[in-house]
Amino acid sequence: MEHIFDDAYFMRKALQEAEIAFDKGEIPVGAVIVIDDKIIARGHNLTETLNDVTAHAEMQSITAAANFLGGKYLQQCTLYVTLEPCQMCAGALYWSQISKIVFGARDMERGCINLKTKLHPKTKIEGGVLAKEASELLKRFFIMKRNLN
Amino acid sequence: MEHIFDDAYFMRKALQEAEIAFDKGEIPVGAVIVIDDKIIARGHNLTETLNDVTAHAEMQSITAAANFLGGKYLQQCTLYVTLEPCQMCAGALYWSQISKIVFGARDMERGCINLKTKLHPKTKIEGGVLAKEASELLKRFFIMKRNLN
């Protein structure tokens, strides 16, 4: 029997969150946090809606997951996020001691890899899961924005 | 006439916030955000109270200042914070495009300077304002914690 709860499965859920952001006029980035194949938090970028630069998909999800777990550390959890985390989000993930970060598209300019944000020694990070879908959604958003202005 | 609204004046306000954190059993870090000599946001560390690693003094203040201003950029603002910002907070400050960061005590291990977190090109940063007071409050907190455990 095929194991349906693979990285692509959860990244599709994160992409659904990114699409919700898209529909709200937000830069379309979405995230879910998973523990034992169960989604315990969902989030999408809300920086425009909330007028708040800290309202990235990952930040919403970290807060929601900690709320669900009743504790602030996410040591058994995996974050799926459609775009490579920025310094702020990677910095928050450092504090959370999260077990694993799986991202979709790379962010060469503002992502945590090229900017060398320090992650917790216990945190693994990998990327490229449904990267094409994630970056196409972002491209579609910026083309639409350009045409509106 | 002496100009009372100097860096020490606002850092004292940030220290008052740190003391509120102390009284709540939180690592005592406090912050205020100032525009035109006026405090528009105050915050203190609430990570234990809220069970949330993202609830640093700076994050609370950034959100509150944007709320006050009705816009997410803090280009005319100065943040006063009793401890050098971590990667997460410096990353949030990057997005906020804040004009100036003034901190008290250095954080050699987890602060943004040694970890080389990228700030916005328009952001100035300086430290050492009431550093002794800020670090003594932190030391007092950790001694108390050690004696309780």
Side-chain angles (χ1 to χ4, degrees):
Chain A
M1 196 182 117
E2 197 187 358
H3 184 59
I4 65 149
F5 296 121
D6 58 5
D7 284 348
Y9 174 86
F10 291 115
M11 191 59 83
R12 247 175 249 120
K13 301 294 182 187
L15 275 166
Q16 286 172 7
E17 287 295 315
E19 278 160 16
I20 297 170
F22 185 103
D23 292 341
K24 290 179 180 171
E26 299 278 356
I27 295 177
V29 181
V32 297
I33 292 180
V34 173
I35 189 165
D36 294 335
D37 285 346
K38 184 180 165 188
I39 293 174
I40 60 166
R42 296 166 201 267
H44 54 266
N45 180 32
L46 283 172
T47 49
E48 296 300 322
T49 307
L50 299 179
N51 256 332
D52 186 345
V53 296
T54 74
H56 283 192
E58 300 94 315
M59 303 298 277
Q60 313 276 331
S61 306
I62 292 166
T63 299
N67 201 34
F68 176 87
L69 294 171
K72 66 190 192 316
Y73 296 116
L74 309 178
Q75 287 143 325
Q76 310 303 318
C77 299
T78 299
L79 169 84
Y80 292 87
V81 58
T82 57
L83 181 67
E84 182 189 332
C86 74
Q87 302 182 114
M88 169 182 71
C89 294
L93 291 161
Y94 167 88
W95 290 118
S96 80
Q97 303 185 17
I98 200 161
S99 176
K100 196 172 172 186
I101 300 165
V102 181
F103 65 84
R106 277 295 297 274
D107 185 345
M108 304 304 279
E109 199 190 341
R110 286 164 165 180
C112 61
I113 296 174
N114 281 355
L115 292 178
K116 298 185 168 54
T117 311
K118 187 179 177 178
L119 292 173
H120 194 275
K122 288 180 195 149
T123 303
K124 288 177 207 140
I125 183 165
E126 58 187 60
V129 177
L130 304 188
K132 195 165 160 253
E133 288 82 345
S135 63
E136 275 174 4
L137 186 64
L138 284 160
K139 270 180 214 152
R140 189 148 59 85
F141 178 81
F142 287 114
I143 289 167
M144 184 192 72
K145 279 281 171 191
R146 213 164 30 233
N147 291 343
L148 284 175
N149 291 332
Chain B
M1 197 184 117
E2 198 186 357
H3 184 59
I4 65 149
F5 296 122
D6 58 6
D7 284 347
Y9 174 86
F10 291 115
M11 191 60 82
R12 248 175 249 121
K13 301 295 182 186
L15 275 166
Q16 286 172 6
E17 287 295 315
E19 278 159 18
I20 296 170
F22 186 102
D23 292 342
K24 291 179 179 171
E26 300 278 357
I27 295 176
V29 180
V32 298
I33 293 180
V34 173
I35 188 166
D36 295 335
D37 285 345
K38 186 180 164 187
I39 294 174
I40 59 166
R42 295 167 202 268
H44 53 268
N45 181 32
L46 283 173
T47 50
E48 296 300 322
T49 307
L50 299 179
N51 257 330
D52 187 345
V53 297
T54 74
H56 282 191
E58 301 93 315
M59 303 299 276
Q60 313 276 331
S61 306
I62 292 166
T63 299
N67 202 34
F68 176 87
L69 293 171
K72 66 190 193 318
Y73 297 115
L74 309 179
Q75 287 141 325
Q76 310 303 319
C77 299
T78 299
L79 169 84
Y80 292 86
V81 58
T82 57
L83 181 67
E84 182 189 332
C86 73
Q87 301 181 115
M88 170 180 71
C89 295
L93 291 162
Y94 167 88
W95 290 118
S96 79
Q97 303 185 17
I98 200 161
S99 175
K100 197 171 172 187
I101 300 164
V102 181
F103 64 87
R106 276 297 294 274
D107 185 345
M108 303 305 279
E109 200 190 340
R110 287 166 165 179
C112 62
I113 296 174
N114 282 355
L115 292 177
K116 297 186 169 51
T117 312
K118 186 178 178 179
L119 292 173
H120 194 277
K122 286 180 197 152
T123 303
K124 287 177 207 141
I125 183 165
E126 58 187 59
V129 176
L130 303 188
K132 195 166 160 252
E133 288 83 344
S135 63
E136 274 173 5
L137 187 64
L138 284 160
K139 270 180 213 152
R140 189 149 58 87
F141 177 81
F142 289 114
I143 289 166
M144 184 192 69
K145 278 280 170 191
R146 215 166 27 235
N147 291 342
L148 284 176
N149 291 330

